[in-house]
Amino acid sequence: MLNAATVDFEASLRAALPAAAFRDDTAPYMSEPRGRWAGQGMVVAPGSTQEVAQVVKACADAGVGIVPYSGGTGLVGGQLMPDGPLPVVLSLERMNKIRAIHQMENVLVCDAGVILADVQSAAEDVDRLFPLSLASEGSARIGGLLATNAGGVNVLRYGNARALCLGLEVVRPDGTIWHGLTRLRKDNTGYDLRNLMIGAEGTLGVITAAALKLMPRPARTGAAMMAVPSPAAALALLAMAGERIGEGISAFELMHRQGMDFLAEVGPEVKPPFAEAPEWTVLIELGLPAGLAPEDALEDLFAAAFEDELVTDGVIAQNVAQRQAFWHIRESIPEANRLIGSVSSHDISVPLGAIPEFIATGQQRLAEVGDFRINCFGHLGDGNLHYNVFPAQGRSRADYEAERPRVKEVVHDLVHEMQGSVSAEHGIGRLKVGDLERYGDPVKLAMLRAIKQALDPQGIMNPGAVLRQG
Amino acid sequence: MLNAATVDFEASLRAALPAAAFRDDTAPYMSEPRGRWAGQGMVVAPGSTQEVAQVVKACADAGVGIVPYSGGTGLVGGQLMPDGPLPVVLSLERMNKIRAIHQMENVLVCDAGVILADVQSAAEDVDRLFPLSLASEGSARIGGLLATNAGGVNVLRYGNARALCLGLEVVRPDGTIWHGLTRLRKDNTGYDLRNLMIGAEGTLGVITAAALKLMPRPARTGAAMMAVPSPAAALALLAMAGERIGEGISAFELMHRQGMDFLAEVGPEVKPPFAEAPEWTVLIELGLPAGLAPEDALEDLFAAAFEDELVTDGVIAQNVAQRQAFWHIRESIPEANRLIGSVSSHDISVPLGAIPEFIATGQQRLAEVGDFRINCFGHLGDGNLHYNVFPAQGRSRADYEAERPRVKEVVHDLVHEMQGSVSAEHGIGRLKVGDLERYGDPVKLAMLRAIKQALDPQGIMNPGAVLRQG
């Protein structure tokens, strides 16, 4: 059993750490983007790895829970603890320095509290690319992005956060520091602790710094929006693009017309690429080496796809502004979704080939539950869809309280039948603990619990996230 | 304490499994490539995952150790147990089927006993590339390659074995089966068990099947040998190639003249690219998309590098035969090394920028220990060198028994000083257990031991590999 962070406990922490480490206004740390839960706890923002270790050690000694807090952009409630004994919310916001850039090695080493956009800029300053990119990049911080193994729009080409990390510094649940901040590309000395910490959502330790991989910047970048008649055609277009352009495809996003309709209805304002929105649109981004023109490659792809009836219309960006306008549409969809207010949102993946069947069957089964608008969009190239279910026109989220659990169950059962994942990139947090129990292989669950018990025997790290508190 | 696989135990296994699962001639399983150790044990070769589970369960019930045996090509003694209670050697050789190829998804699913070259061929048959490539690819099997997180010559571009695996099927130490054989590109539901099993060298379970990532085949492939004046010049050439060619560089290998001299002395026979062997040679391989000619890119690179005095001579392969001849040289060096007989061999990595200093300092420090020939070659692009120390001309390995421990210590101490790894791609096996203890961060070692204890509390899986038997 955990203990609460009492007034006495807080006083002893205040005596041990600089005043700058404390946050009297805790409100900003107690909400999350979808407004489902309110958090609780005292908030500490250590200024160094040593201070993080001090806080963790104090919590371990007192049996107080710790909720690591990064950018606060997570969508599954991993960043707040709505009930249980009052925890320490440990914010990494003051650890926001880029420690070193090794340009020749294509490595950037930074504190866990650095904001993603700042890493992207620092990479650009040395003519490199840090390819992790997602809608919340202006506020999400590296520690949280790694703790949740964040995905985003460039996973198809560059992999998720896990694939972009060479080393970590981590404060363990007992307050000791694991110095795994290596810049090595290869190191086969023992089990893969780095990848165990990545994606553990702060339940095995606190990431305090990371060595990140930078990539060469593609010489030329281009993008196109293409209208496709069906998800199956989108998949065939992806395969055709792969045959013709290979690894030059940086992103391949699918969007249903519903998203465009939401944007028109509630904003943000965007400039639609087609006079009449097609049922399905794909956004393709290419990054090519010197000597190849993305516009030509996209033109050729479109011509071949049109011949095979895989596309019905298309617009190729002619300049940077147009390319950014395409991405602005894609990146505005989550905000439009938020403004409409979903009945139930799902971040799912299925094997790539199963995508069309998933979309068709999902629609059928939900029609049996009620009258919904489905906004299905996402990272087709990764088999990862954001499959979000909304109220019918003129009705609101509140009208669907009764149906919500059934909607989620229908979608997740289908994903499970198709050997997919009920959390492709957002993680488990607190929202999906029950889903993990319901759909997870019991052998896998036994391993997860054994590892948690082995590395955090007191259960103080992000209590109740990923695994139910024992 | 473990128990020996007694005659009674063997009899009970024989009663439970088909006769085809037993190997009366156990000799082939009891040696390893460098001839340092002889193994022991009864040998079982199950024909299915269920049979593997049966064998493991029987061993768990009897407290008998299990040594998973894949291609037997490992260089650190992970595949044999020279002492301790007689174990079961569990060979995956009969599980050698490719289960499915999902061409559109770029996924191949196979048993763990499939030989790497067969996976490469199967990928080629569907116009895809399985990029894992190393000298032993004709006999190494997928299970062992994953268990050791194998590297090889294409890591620079495609990553190591870990980066090429989407899912695993694993028999756990209690005989239960973890069905993690997913084809998903994204799945953030719980801790990263896949990467924990990859690189665990059979100490946490037996990999019985894997879902592997296939890649598009580059439209055009080319290679060049370039003579460079120094390791620093080789690094500068690598950076220049990165700036110009980006991700199109598939391999960047460094070879010291010593390797060429060994080839001339003991074979295998090769056709040297230069009339007089330069002190340092790099082998560069490119794989480019349609529309770009590797020969032109290599020509341009050579011209620019020559201008900057980074290269002194070069040969660009004009056809497939010449490219293969270049690789034949590189891939023959390990065999020449074996024929010469090393005093001590090291598979090390350091941060890329530290390579020149490592090579210079290593030479100096070894000169203080004795008179050696050093053959330093390997995957420069990954910061991974095979740094092998040989007897002086006219002397033999046996003359250096006294110096061997000191040689190893000098090299590994230097690696450690430079924040490198004493096992970049070969793993720990039994050879480097002491090195892991000596150089490993105590916090890391505590985590490794906690994980081993949590997932294999009886300690029956590959006893004594990676971690000393408790």
Side-chain angles (χ1 to χ4, degrees):
Chain A
M1 248 335 256
L2 296 176
N3 297 315
T6 59
V7 173
D8 284 356
F9 176 78
E10 179 165 351
S12 71
L13 262 194
R14 283 192 184 259
L17 290 171
F22 296 87
R23 294 288 169 276
D24 293 327
D25 178 11
T26 62
Y29 305 87
M30 301 307 163
S31 63
E32 46 85 34
R34 289 186 176 156
R36 282 168 212 230
W37 291 297
Q40 48 154 358
M42 66 169 287
V43 179
V44 189
S48 68
T49 304
Q50 285 306 331
E51 286 183 15
V52 173
Q54 257 182 287
V55 174
V56 173
K57 178 74 166 53
C59 290
D61 290 347
V64 168
I66 299 166
V67 180
Y69 192 94
S70 190
T73 62
L75 295 173
V76 290
Q79 69 273 51
L80 49 75
M81 189 173 143
D83 43 37
L86 202 74
V88 167
V89 175
L90 197 158
S91 169
L92 277 298
E93 68 198 70
R94 290 176 64 226
M95 294 187 60
N96 59 1
K97 285 183 201 55
I98 290 176
R99 296 190 186 179
I101 297 180
H102 304 270
Q103 184 187 17
M104 198 268 290
E105 298 180 7
N106 286 336
V107 177
L108 181 151
V109 182
C110 69
D111 288 347
V114 177
I115 288 174
L116 173 52
D118 293 336
V119 173
Q120 293 168 342
S121 303
E124 203 171 330
D125 288 346
V126 294
D127 195 30
R128 296 291 186 274
L129 176 73
F130 184 63
L132 191 64
S133 175
L134 34 72
S136 61
E137 62 198 25
S139 47
R141 297 175 193 271
I142 291 299
L145 290 159
L146 288 167
T148 58
N149 185 30
V153 296
N154 289 332
V155 174
L156 176 63
R157 179 169 186 157
Y158 297 104
N160 48 22
R162 176 168 286 139
L164 300 171
C165 179
L166 293 171
L168 290 179
E169 179 187 85
V170 172
V171 174
R172 296 196 56 206
D174 62 1
T176 57
I177 300 168
W178 171 47
H179 296 283
L181 201 56
T182 170
R183 282 141 49 202
L184 303 176
R185 302 269 160 178
K186 282 180 172 173
D187 179 14
N188 277 348
T189 55
Y191 309 147
D192 188 355
L193 300 176
R194 179 183 73 225
N195 282 319
L196 191 58
M197 293 296 163
I198 297 174
E201 304 185 37
T203 64
L204 302 178
V206 183
I207 296 171
T208 50
L212 303 173
K213 272 161 91 167
L214 304 180
M215 304 297 293
R217 294 171 66 80
R220 295 282 310 279
T221 307
M225 290 279 213
M226 297 190 194
V228 295
S230 66
L235 267 190
L237 178 64
L238 172 63
M240 179 185 271
E243 304 264 342
R244 301 172 75 95
I245 306 167
E247 293 149 277
I249 308 164
S250 301
F252 198 97
E253 299 283 305
L254 180 70
M255 290 170 277
H256 188 260
R257 182 172 50 213
Q258 190 64 66
M260 307 298 163
D261 292 351
F262 284 175
L263 286 166
E265 191 178 333
V266 294
E269 197 176 337
V270 300
K271 194 169 170 302
F274 301 109
E276 191 175 339
E279 185 175 3
W280 295 101
T281 304
V282 297
L283 168 53
I284 310 173
E285 176 151 302
L286 304 186
L288 299 181
L292 295 177
E295 298 76 17
D296 294 349
L298 289 165
E299 193 89 50
D300 292 351
L301 175 65
F302 179 80
F306 193 81
E307 180 88 15
D308 285 7
E309 298 181 6
L310 300 179
V311 295
T312 55
D313 201 352
V315 190
I316 296 169
Q318 297 304 317
N319 51 49
V320 174
Q322 205 173 356
R323 182 164 70 82
Q324 287 173 341
F326 290 171
W327 279 107
H328 178 59
I329 296 171
R330 167 63 185 83
E331 297 291 22
S332 296
I333 292 176
E335 176 63 7
N337 287 343
R338 206 183 59 76
L339 293 170
I340 296 281
S342 76
V343 175
S344 187
S345 298
H346 315 95
D347 162 45
I348 66 96
S349 64
V350 293
L352 212 52
I355 292 259
E357 189 191 334
F358 170 80
I359 291 175
T361 310
Q363 196 168 16
Q364 279 166 22
R365 294 201 187 162
L366 284 175
E368 291 161 20
V369 178
D371 189 13
F372 303 105
R373 290 180 293 176
I374 300 169
N375 188 12
C376 170
F377 67 103
H379 319 297
L380 185 71
D382 311 319
N384 173 202
L385 297 175
H386 299 303
Y387 191 85
N388 296 354
V389 181
F390 294 85
Q393 187 87 40
R395 300 178 64 192
S396 84
R397 176 181 158 80
D399 302 335
Y400 288 85
E401 285 303 325
E403 285 96 334
R404 181 170 307 141
R406 182 70 192 131
V407 169
K408 191 179 96 164
E409 189 176 60
V410 162
V411 175
H412 284 182
D413 282 358
L414 177 60
V415 167
H416 187 63
E417 277 170 46
M418 301 183 84
Q419 304 183 300
S421 168
V422 297
S423 188
E425 57 176 14
H426 293 165
I428 297 297
R430 290 173 175 81
L431 179 67
K432 297 189 179 175
V433 170
D435 292 305
L436 179 59
E437 290 171 351
R438 180 183 171 109
Y439 301 108
D441 172 10
V443 174
K444 166 180 165 173
L445 279 162
M447 283 195 277
L448 299 186
R449 291 188 183 117
I451 291 167
K452 170 73 174 176
Q453 175 64 31
L455 297 184
D456 178 20
Q458 281 186 283
I460 63 168
M461 291 306 312
N462 214 359
V466 183
L467 296 168
R468 203 173 293 275
Q469 191 68 349
Chain B
M1 246 338 255
L2 296 175
N3 298 314
T6 59
V7 174
D8 283 356
F9 176 79
E10 178 165 351
S12 70
L13 262 194
R14 283 190 184 261
L17 290 170
F22 295 88
R23 293 288 170 276
D24 293 328
D25 179 11
T26 62
Y29 304 87
M30 303 306 164
S31 63
E32 46 84 34
R34 288 184 177 158
R36 282 169 213 229
W37 291 296
Q40 48 153 358
M42 66 169 287
V43 180
V44 189
S48 68
T49 304
Q50 285 304 333
E51 285 183 15
V52 173
Q54 258 182 286
V55 173
V56 173
K57 178 73 164 61
C59 290
D61 289 347
V64 168
I66 298 166
V67 180
Y69 191 94
S70 189
T73 61
L75 295 173
V76 290
Q79 69 273 53
L80 49 74
M81 188 173 142
D83 43 39
L86 202 74
V88 166
V89 175
L90 195 159
S91 169
L92 278 298
E93 68 197 69
R94 290 177 62 227
M95 293 187 60
N96 59 0
K97 284 183 200 56
I98 291 177
R99 295 190 185 178
I101 297 180
H102 304 269
Q103 185 187 16
M104 198 269 289
E105 298 181 8
N106 286 335
V107 177
L108 182 151
V109 183
C110 69
D111 288 347
V114 177
I115 288 172
L116 173 53
D118 294 336
V119 173
Q120 292 169 341
S121 304
E124 202 171 331
D125 290 346
V126 294
D127 194 30
R128 295 292 185 274
L129 175 73
F130 184 64
L132 191 65
S133 174
L134 34 72
S136 62
E137 61 198 25
S139 46
R141 297 174 193 270
I142 292 298
L145 290 160
L146 288 168
T148 59
N149 186 28
V153 295
N154 288 332
V155 174
L156 177 62
R157 179 168 187 158
Y158 297 104
N160 48 22
R162 175 168 286 140
L164 300 171
C165 179
L166 293 171
L168 290 178
E169 178 187 85
V170 172
V171 174
R172 297 195 55 206
D174 62 1
T176 57
I177 300 167
W178 170 47
H179 296 284
L181 201 56
T182 170
R183 283 142 48 203
L184 302 177
R185 303 268 159 176
K186 282 180 172 173
D187 179 14
N188 276 349
T189 55
Y191 308 147
D192 189 355
L193 300 176
R194 179 183 74 225
N195 282 319
L196 191 58
M197 293 296 164
I198 296 174
E201 304 186 37
T203 64
L204 302 178
V206 183
I207 295 171
T208 51
L212 303 173
K213 272 161 91 167
L214 305 180
M215 303 298 292
R217 294 171 66 79
R220 295 281 310 279
T221 308
M225 290 280 212
M226 296 190 194
V228 293
S230 65
L235 267 190
L237 178 64
L238 172 63
M240 178 183 271
E243 305 264 343
R244 303 172 73 95
I245 305 166
E247 293 149 278
I249 308 164
S250 301
F252 198 97
E253 299 283 306
L254 179 71
M255 289 171 278
H256 187 260
R257 182 172 49 214
Q258 191 63 66
M260 309 297 164
D261 292 350
F262 283 175
L263 285 166
E265 192 178 331
V266 295
E269 196 174 337
V270 300
K271 193 167 172 300
F274 302 110
E276 191 174 338
E279 186 174 4
W280 296 100
T281 305
V282 297
L283 168 54
I284 310 173
E285 176 151 302
L286 304 186
L288 300 181
L292 294 178
E295 298 76 16
D296 295 349
L298 289 164
E299 193 89 48
D300 292 351
L301 175 65
F302 180 79
F306 193 80
E307 181 88 15
D308 285 6
E309 299 183 4
L310 300 178
V311 296
T312 56
D313 202 352
V315 189
I316 295 169
Q318 297 303 318
N319 50 50
V320 174
Q322 205 173 357
R323 182 164 69 83
Q324 287 174 341
F326 290 172
W327 279 107
H328 178 59
I329 296 171
R330 168 62 186 83
E331 297 292 23
S332 296
I333 292 177
E335 175 63 8
N337 287 344
R338 208 184 57 78
L339 294 170
I340 297 280
S342 78
V343 176
S344 187
S345 298
H346 315 94
D347 162 44
I348 65 96
S349 64
V350 292
L352 212 52
I355 291 259
E357 189 191 334
F358 170 80
I359 290 176
T361 309
Q363 196 168 18
Q364 280 165 21
R365 293 201 189 163
L366 284 175
E368 291 161 19
V369 178
D371 189 14
F372 303 105
R373 290 178 293 176
I374 300 168
N375 188 12
C376 170
F377 66 104
H379 318 298
L380 185 70
D382 312 318
N384 173 203
L385 297 174
H386 300 302
Y387 191 86
N388 297 352
V389 181
F390 293 86
Q393 187 86 42
R395 301 179 63 192
S396 83
R397 176 180 158 80
D399 301 334
Y400 288 85
E401 285 303 325
E403 284 97 333
R404 180 170 308 141
R406 183 70 192 129
V407 168
K408 191 178 94 165
E409 189 176 58
V410 162
V411 174
H412 284 181
D413 281 358
L414 178 59
V415 167
H416 186 63
E417 278 169 46
M418 302 182 83
Q419 304 183 298
S421 168
V422 297
S423 188
E425 58 176 13
H426 294 166
I428 298 296
R430 290 173 175 81
L431 180 66
K432 296 189 180 175
V433 170
D435 292 305
L436 179 58
E437 290 171 351
R438 180 184 172 107
Y439 300 107
D441 174 9
V443 175
K444 167 180 165 174
L445 280 162
M447 283 195 277
L448 300 186
R449 291 188 183 116
I451 291 167
K452 171 73 173 176
Q453 176 65 29
L455 297 184
D456 178 20
Q458 280 186 284
I460 63 168
M461 290 306 312
N462 214 359
V466 183
L467 296 168
R468 202 173 295 276
Q469 192 68 352

